[in-house]
Amino acid sequence: MKIFKNIKKQKLWTSIAVISGMILIAGCSKFLERKPLTATLDDLKQGSLEGQSYGMYSSLRYFAGFSGLPWIDFHSVRDDDAEKGSSLSDGAEITAQFENFNYSKEGWAVETYWNDHFAMINLANTQIQTADSLKVSDPASLRNVGEALFFRAYAYFELVKNYGDVPLLNFRVYKAAEAIQPKSPASKIYEQIDKDLALAAQYLPANWNNASGVSTFPGRLTSGAANTLWAQTQLFRKNWSQTAALCRQVIASGQYSLSSTYAGIWKDGLSGAGKNGPESIFEMQSNVGPNRTNNNGSSWGTSQNIRQGGATSAWNLGWGWNTPTQVLVDAWEPSDPRRNGTILFSGQSDDPTTGGYGATLPPYDPNGANGGIQRKYWNKKVYSDPAMRAFTGMINNAGEAAWINHRILRYADVILMLAEAANETGDGVTAAEMVEKIRARARGGNGNILPKITFQNQAQMRTAIKNERRFEFAMEGYRFYDLVRWGDAEAALGSLGYTNRNRFYPIPQKAIDASNGVLKQNPDY
């Protein structure tokens, strides 16, 4: 499996216990059209924290644990609505590990996910310490600090969801031995997340607009992003009142709205209409210029686009990972436009009314013979625009959709988090109102589909919200964690091999070995 295809090589620091692959960012790419940082950290003056911030944004693209196959394995392949995809032989070990819950303590995906998240934490710690040593207080520098705090909280939230207790590193590491730390309870990790996001929300701006109301830094972090992530962390802890308050704050900011059409969220063509749209709270930015110039792309879109055998096959658009299951196809109301806005069907039209481009996919063939493709269904939320393929020159195994953004936080989640929190605190009216906002956008003015759901009782509304989250966020990496926090994972995934211990993943063995026993394996492993 060509897992390193189009993933930039990363310069590694010496292996250490917890961060066995810390990434040294010597400079940043042309992200946001800014000059790369060329000074050393010791040369930094007040205001030069900007370059370190850009390095963390760039790391979202270059660290596979945030935007590549390991992220997909942990976040999507483990649920009942997605599977590994690609050909049967490509990454066959992932099927056993993540689809069938035979977790492994070793392997590229397992180690990369762990390493990349601690590498991001290290980058954030370095920036926070640098700012502290300079005693900065100007708004621009504090914004940079807010960015570092967000990224540290984001990385730790991903770790605590996947591993439970993990080492708490909230300081800059100068020597390898300093990073050898035991695990801290998840409650302590959440305390740090709370502190970081409270300050991030205070330091970050509401937007990055100029006097004309146009964003000068599309995709850059805001106070709304900090509060949305904070709401997610509260939701996972069932802190319903805090979740609702944070969601209401994001809504009241007036910075976001639902996109007019569901399919429009995912458009990443020449017009760029779907990128950084009104619903976008935080997106990983990926851009490629004409004929592969100014390539600031990622493997996010590449890893998930349609795969067809043969390097020059017309539909060999990517690696074909993260594909919908038959379970998801059958669970959907057939009249729900989100179904065709999420799934591409082999042998059928890509359905221009729900985000397609007027093309017909090759037929399904389990052996990939005679021009067929080896999956019945594909993830339409990363479907690449033919015009963009021609513009970038990334056609048929030549980079494939490296320009597609990862929608990390979007406004629909704020709406549905508020619905869930309101329902759990006895406010059924608000819960039903929020659910209706999502369904109204989905039905697109067609009053004959997706009938309005009225509140009858808490249990009925709880089920409605669960279903709405499933279909609104299908293939986006939410469902596994939703099933776990709802206590529904064994019922939904038990037939695939899931047991309660699979709620957490084992810590990579290499990290434990490097710590000389300081770092202990999760108790179920």
Side-chain angles (χ1 to χ4, degrees), residues 101-335:
F101 298 99
N102 295 311
Y103 289 169
S104 173
K105 302 172 189 176
E106 299 177 338
W108 177 78
V110 171
E111 292 159 6
T112 298
Y113 192 88
W114 175 272
N115 292 342
D116 284 356
H117 282 76
F118 276 107
M120 181 69 83
I121 289 165
N122 181 63
L123 292 174
N125 285 339
T126 298
Q127 179 166 337
I128 293 166
Q129 185 278 329
T130 302
D132 184 62
S133 68
L134 294 171
K135 295 180 170 56
V136 298
S137 59
D138 61 289
S141 295
L142 291 179
R143 286 196 294 268
N144 294 144
V145 173
E147 290 170 309
L149 291 165
F150 176 95
F151 279 115
R152 184 166 71 182
Y154 177 51
Y156 262 124
F157 184 42
E158 296 300 291
L159 288 169
V160 78
K161 284 192 300 183
N162 284 295
Y163 300 100
D165 301 345
V166 293
L168 177 59
L169 296 176
N170 55 5
F171 54 88
R172 181 177 177 180
V173 172
Y174 289 91
K175 298 178 181 179
E178 296 172 350
I180 299 178
Q181 299 290 332
K183 292 191 294 186
S184 291
S187 60
K188 293 295 183 183
I189 304 300
Y190 275 119
E191 284 181 13
Q192 186 66 55
I193 289 172
D194 288 339
K195 292 176 183 177
D196 286 353
L197 291 176
L199 281 175
Q202 177 183 333
Y203 291 159
L204 289 169
N207 59 60
W208 293 84
N209 294 349
N210 59 22
S212 301
V214 178
S215 177
T216 55
F217 295 99
R220 201 160 184 180
L221 287 164
T222 62
S223 57
N227 283 327
T228 299
L229 179 62
W230 201 3
Q232 288 184 345
T233 74
Q234 299 290 351
L235 187 79
F236 268 75
R237 289 173 279 176
K238 296 181 171 27
N239 294 335
W240 306 118
S241 296
Q242 294 93 322
T243 301
L246 287 162
C247 289
R248 291 184 189 280
Q249 193 169 341
V250 175
I251 293 168
S253 73
Q255 299 295 318
Y256 313 102
S257 62
L258 294 175
S259 296
S260 58
T261 65
Y262 186 74
I265 300 169
W266 319 109
K267 288 289 188 180
D268 265 328
L270 282 174
S271 69
K275 285 191 173 187
N276 306 306
E279 190 164 336
S280 174
I281 295 178
F282 183 45
E283 290 186 22
M284 178 197 75
Q285 304 295 298
S286 297
N287 299 286
V288 181
N291 299 316
R292 303 178 206 157
T293 58
N294 301 319
N295 187 347
N296 290 304
S298 74
S299 63
W300 175 252
T302 300
S303 61
Q304 300 180 69
N305 261 260
I306 299 167
R307 175 173 177 147
Q308 184 180 39
T312 59
S313 300
W315 282 87
N316 195 36
L317 308 180
W319 307 341
W321 286 52
N322 196 29
T323 55
T325 63
Q326 190 67 52
V327 170
L328 175 62
V329 174
D330 294 342
W332 233 310
E333 294 179 52
S335 63

Side-chain angles (χ1 to χ4, degrees), residues 449-489:
I449 61 174
L450 299 179
K452 184 176 180 178
I453 296 174
T454 58
F455 179 82
Q456 298 175 24
N457 56 64
Q458 189 181 61
Q460 165 261 345
M461 184 54 65
R462 184 180 294 130
T463 298
I465 292 167
K466 288 180 179 181
N467 288 335
E468 213 60 38
R469 287 190 65 86
R470 180 182 193 181
F471 300 131
E472 178 69 22
F473 302 125
M475 310 306 297
E476 295 181 54
Y478 285 83
R479 181 156 172 81
F480 175 78
Y481 303 104
D482 279 346
L483 289 172
V484 170
R485 69 181 180 83
W486 289 331
D488 294 343

